[in-house]
Amino acid sequence: MPRSELTIDLGAIRRNAATLLAALAGAELWAVVKANAYGHGAPEVARAALEAGATALCTATVGEALDLRPRFPETRILVMGPTADADLALAREARLELAVSDGRLPEGIPLHVKLDTGMGRYGLAELSALSADVVGLMSHLATADSDQAFAVQQIDRFLAATGQHPGFLRHIANSAAALRLPAARLDAARCGIALYGLSPFGTDPADEGLEPALAWRSRLAQVKRLEPGESTGYRRAFVASEPTWIGIVPVGYADGFRRDLAGTEVLVDGEPRRTLGVVSMDSFAVELPGELPVGTPVTLIGDGLLAEQHARVADTITYELVCGIDSRPQRARRRVLDA
Ligand SMILES: *Cc1c(COP(=O)(O)O)cnc(C)c1O
């Protein structure tokens, strides 16, 4: 038995891409597949998104883009992060496109000049001279999920700064803006989280017509009864006050089931059950209604249990949760459903 199994449903990715394309009303959908497609597996997600109508792939690094290039020889691949001079020759040879955020414009490779319209991170304060290599003008929104008024200010600044430079592809929207801010759509939207069926707003993705693509399941590896005064796990963080059946799930923080998920609920045989004590590196404990067989199915994410629920418990965002899941075969079995 594998310790846990990750299932990636490419049908869900395709349907989410279709939902985004409908919201984009004519703008292009560019699939953001950085960080191994937010832990979902970049090659498969990229293929599904392109099949569903996405027209480009976006990565954070040249290395991520180089991994994808052989599988997608003709696709536009935009590297959104900063590119070291040492990587320019490789990027050029692989026909990547680069976001540039300082005044230097490398030659012989398509460029997207990035403006800082309020993110306060990468980007130029204003558009300076553009070169013949520039094909796009871009910016990034800081608050599309949380403060639409500020996002609209950023869009207005972007439109004002780029208005005198016609003929370039303009793109500023992420998932939240693609779904909720029509003014941000422009020529293309760079969408990640919504493609994976996770809500950029931290709420139920079904509210946006999105469907989670990732499920994470395991099984009870041990079942035992704690007598009053007995404890489970490090630091004796849970001590039974009455006879308590517990199950040990062979997944821990090294697998991406983070320590700050202590107290969250998982599904044991389909029923929500609370986790007990601290999360160990390779396991955690869950409360059982009584004695259950070893091997009883446990769902960590999926089957109606939303990653958003865990994110609230861990005081983080689903982006960080799914990026942190370790899908290497040494830790988990990964299964791709391609229906
Ligand atoms: C990660 C990223 C995106 C995608 O954001 P989502 O909220 O996942 O849609 C878009 N643009 C840039 C520059 C990014 O770094």
Side-chain angles (χ1 to χ4, degrees), residues 54-137:
T55 47
L57 303 173
C58 303
T59 68
T61 71
V62 170
E64 290 173 341
L66 292 176
D67 280 350
L68 291 168
R69 177 48 88 208
R71 293 173 215 248
F72 306 101
E74 304 305 329
T75 304
R76 161 176 275 148
I77 305 182
L78 170 62
V79 179
M80 300 186 296
T83 297
D85 288 347
D87 290 336
L88 280 176
L90 273 174
R92 225 179 255 123
E93 195 183 335
R95 294 166 292 111
L96 307 180
E97 304 192 3
L98 303 181
V100 287
S101 296
D102 55 29
R104 295 174 315 136
L105 303 179
E107 288 178 2
I109 185 164
L111 302 176
H112 298 245
V113 173
K114 189 163 188 179
L115 277 167
D116 181 2
T117 56
M119 182 64 149
R121 206 173 62 174
Y122 295 117
L124 295 161
E126 51 194 83
L127 270 190
S128 40
L130 301 174
S131 70
D133 292 295
V134 176
V135 297
L137 304 175

Side-chain angles (χ1 to χ4, degrees), residues 224-284:
K224 64 174 63 184
R225 192 171 101 142
L226 299 181
E227 301 304 332
E230 291 182 337
S231 59
T232 181
Y234 287 114
R235 294 174 33 219
R236 308 194 70 218
F238 174 79
V239 181
S241 54
E242 54 190 344
T244 306
W245 283 96
I246 66 165
I248 307 299
V249 182
V251 175
Y253 60 78
D255 302 287
F257 198 86
R258 306 149 53 110
R259 244 177 134 263
D260 48 12
L261 285 175
T264 197
E265 287 182 344
V266 296
L267 304 178
V268 179
D269 217 6
E271 296 295 326
R273 303 286 173 207
R274 115 191 126 106
T275 65
L276 299 175
V278 300
V279 177
S280 299
M281 190 182 294
D282 309 308
S283 68
F284 67 88

